[in-house]
Amino acid sequence: MTPALEAGGWKLEIEAAAGARAAIYVGDEADTLALDPVATEGVTVFPAALGAQATRGPWFAELRVEEGTVHAGGLELGEARVGADLGDLIDLWVGRDDVLFTIDRAEEPEQLSIGVRPALSRAWLPAHATGLGASLGAAGRASLDLAAQYASSTADAPHLLARGRVVPLARGAASLAVGGGVAYLPSPSLGTQLGYTLDVDARHGEQRLCVGYTAIEREGLSSLGGVVIGLDARFLPARALSPGVALRGERVTGLDPAEDARWLASTRLGLRFLDRKGEAYVEALHATEEGEVATGAGVVVLDDRVERANDVIQLGLAFRL
């Protein structure tokens, strides 16, 4: 955020992010309908976001728009909410906000170490939704977020969400946090859906190790499940040029009825500059699908693997203001 501007008793802070990335290689069987993040080679805008927060006493109002990640190519409303900050213990808000479930949802797109969210985070729940919520905290040692959010104006039921986090270790540059969430959708039209997640987040300075497990049950549909592990390492953080590497591995089931499992490996090599407000990077995704194509009697299939050519290599440049 920018240094606060004051007018009429209100304090105003503004933030922005802008970037572009070019997919220089995309496997010719990539398909965004199958949850591949990129379908063809080319240049896209990412990230693109503009946000503002106004505060006066306990009251706050926030507005943020960002480049659509699901419907890419147009800005979408990420946050538009008003509420009250009642000290260090509780925040109350109403409006539109991020849907907090898996651990990556606590970070905005431009803050992610890997430019594509984990597969299960993209497969289930909207990125943003409208409703009301509350956040409770205890001096950085524990927090609890509660919300009831409607995915759209025509939704017949809200997503009911609860996400908690405790920090049993916080000593100097080292910290260890354990978190988890529950999401429940009692929808007559879509069927009852229930998901839960558990994660561990260990940090030491610029280094981070994160492990998460998620399971989702959907009435009338296949269940979803997955494990994700991420590792971030930043070198020479105090220098003008700071190189870093981010690695993420995933194993997911239920994304496609033909798949037994999908394995995803993501890598980013980056170089931060301009007091870490700019970053140039190369990012790669390798995907492997396990399973066999179902065939009828008398049909001869030369290759019955469901594995597709859908790997991706991207070059990017981004700035945060």
Side-chain angles (χ1 to χ4, degrees):
M1 286 270 184
T2 62
L5 306 174
E6 296 192 25
W10 288 87
K11 293 183 179 180
L12 177 65
E13 294 179 292
I14 300 174
E15 64 177 353
R21 58 188 179 188
I24 60 173
Y25 171 78
V26 179
D28 57 15
E29 294 176 285
D31 184 356
T32 55
L33 295 179
L35 280 179
D36 298 326
V38 179
T40 59
E41 297 171 359
V43 178
T44 56
V45 174
F46 181 86
L50 178 63
Q53 180 185 62
T55 58
R56 181 174 181 176
W59 307 105
F60 66 82
E62 296 177 344
L63 177 66
R64 174 184 165 93
V65 292
E66 61 188 46
E67 171 76 4
T69 53
V70 177
H71 305 290
L75 290 175
E76 64 181 26
L77 187 64
E79 300 172 22
R81 62 177 193 159
V82 295
D85 181 358
L86 306 179
D88 296 331
L89 294 180
I90 184 170
D91 291 352
L92 302 175
W93 62 267
V94 62
R96 184 173 179 82
D97 199 9
D98 300 316
V99 175
L100 295 181
F101 181 54
T102 50
I103 189 172
D104 68 283
R105 292 296 189 95
E107 297 178 291
E108 300 291 3
E110 66 270 20
Q111 298 172 323
L112 297 172
S113 300
I114 302 290
V116 179
R117 293 191 186 275
L120 280 186
S121 183
R122 294 180 284 119
W124 193 61
L125 294 177
H128 314 101
T130 303
L132 70 164
S135 299
L136 296 84
R141 286 290 187 173
S143 64
L144 176 64
D145 293 285
L146 304 171
Q149 295 171 269
Y150 286 87
S152 69
S153 59
T154 59
D156 59 7
H159 289 92
L160 305 177
L161 298 115
R163 177 165 177 84
R165 181 174 182 266
V166 295
V167 185
L169 172 65
R171 184 176 301 171
S175 67
L176 176 67
V178 179
V182 177
Y184 177 60
L185 177 64
S187 171
S189 60
L190 298 178
T192 300
Q193 302 185 25
L194 175 65
Y196 59 89
T197 185
L198 179 66
D199 46 74
V200 178
D201 187 1
R203 307 187 188 212
H204 187 279
E206 297 280 341
Q207 324 310 321
R208 181 184 185 188
L209 174 65
C210 185
V211 180
Y213 169 76
T214 302
I216 300 161
E217 296 293 335
R218 303 178 296 174
E219 183 180 350
L221 297 171
S222 61
S223 60
L224 300 170
V227 177
V228 59
I229 180 169
L231 175 65
D232 299 347
R234 180 65 52 181
F235 309 104
L236 307 175
R239 298 292 182 87
L241 297 177
S242 175
V245 60
L247 307 171
R248 186 174 72 207
E250 305 172 64
R251 184 184 186 276
V252 190
T253 59
L255 291 181
D256 189 313
E259 295 176 5
D260 296 328
R262 185 181 301 189
W263 295 81
L264 300 164
S266 303
T267 305
R268 174 184 282 197
L269 301 177
L271 183 66
R272 292 183 182 174
F273 53 94
L274 293 180
D275 194 24
R276 301 199 298 178
K277 292 182 174 61
E279 183 176 18
Y281 61 87
V282 56
E283 192 168 288
L285 169 68
H286 173 66
T288 299
E289 296 81 21
E290 293 181 352
E292 296 180 354
V293 177
T295 58
V299 177
V300 178
V301 178
L302 298 179
D303 187 350
D304 61 357
R305 298 176 300 170
V306 299
E307 184 177 356
R308 295 175 289 124
N310 54 348
D311 295 346
V312 179
I313 299 176
Q314 298 186 95
L315 302 177
L317 180 63
F319 297 91
R320 295 180 62 191
L321 308 176

